Amino acid sequence: MRKFIAIVLLLAVTGYGIWNALAAEKTKKVGLSVGDVAPDFALQTLAGETVRLSDFRGKPVIVNFWTTWCPPCKKEMPDMEKFYQNYHSKVGLLAVHLTSQDTVENAKSFIHDYQLSFPVVLDKKQKVLNEYHIQTIPTSYIIDGDGVIRKKVIGPMTYKQMEEITAPLRQ
């Protein structure tokens, strides 16, 4: 009888621990710190298609904030395109053009000149710029498949950095 009670208590404590862990997972807070769920947003592409950050759930994504007049942004874009070409099936890439700080025409020319094939959305009204408190460009957030921020990078990234940062998320 004592063994039975001990087993029941052990199962109850284990069950409670599992339930607590699952409940904690579901109540992660939305925020901008590593470990927070990234705030969702919806913006349009040049073609007028709406893209949501949550569309990328299920695989990691790099969200990059940039403008056409930013020299470091220009420097990292060829590496971003190369990374996207090599890893797009495993890691999403979403470039948020800070259109409120630039122009749609400049973005269109830039995308054409740099032959960018990854999604570029236009933040025309500073909504996402303000929500993500972007002060330095480029700034990138590396978000896992569950929508959780795993790293924030201020400044340009190289192809090698993108590979290294996303390697644990691509497993």
Side-chain angles (χ1 to χ4, degrees), residues 28-60:
K28 284 188 176 177
K29 79 175 178 90
V30 174
L32 298 174
S33 299
V34 171
D36 290 346
V37 173
D40 196 15
F41 59 84
L43 293 171
Q44 291 189 333
T45 65
L46 283 169
E49 299 169 19
T50 299
V51 177
R52 297 180 181 285
L53 177 58
S54 56
D55 293 343
F56 292 88
R57 288 283 170 98
K59 73 177 180 179

Side-chain angles (χ1 to χ4, degrees), residues 102-118:
D102 204 343
T103 68
V104 172
E105 294 76 25
N106 287 348
K108 187 174 184 178
S109 294
F110 189 97
I111 292 164
H112 177 266
D113 293 348
Y114 283 78
Q115 299 177 12
L116 303 180
S117 59
F118 50 83

Side-chain angles (χ1 to χ4, degrees), residues 21-95:
L22 291 174
E25 272 297 306
K26 291 180 182 178
T27 59
K28 284 188 176 177
K29 79 175 178 90
V30 174
L32 298 174
S33 299
V34 171
D36 290 346
V37 173
D40 196 15
F41 59 84
L43 293 171
Q44 291 189 333
T45 65
L46 283 169
E49 299 169 19
T50 299
V51 177
R52 297 180 181 285
L53 177 58
S54 56
D55 293 343
F56 292 88
R57 288 283 170 98
K59 73 177 180 179
V61 61
I62 297 172
V63 179
N64 176 260
F65 294 88
W66 67 285
T67 63
T68 63
W69 49 261
C70 158
C73 299
K74 291 177 184 179
K75 182 179 178 185
E76 81 176 344
M77 280 300 168
D79 281 353
M80 289 207 148
E81 178 60 27
K82 180 180 173 184
F83 179 83
Y84 181 74
Q85 289 298 319
N86 291 329
Y87 291 102
H88 68 273
S89 64
K90 296 180 179 180
V91 179
L93 181 56
L94 181 60

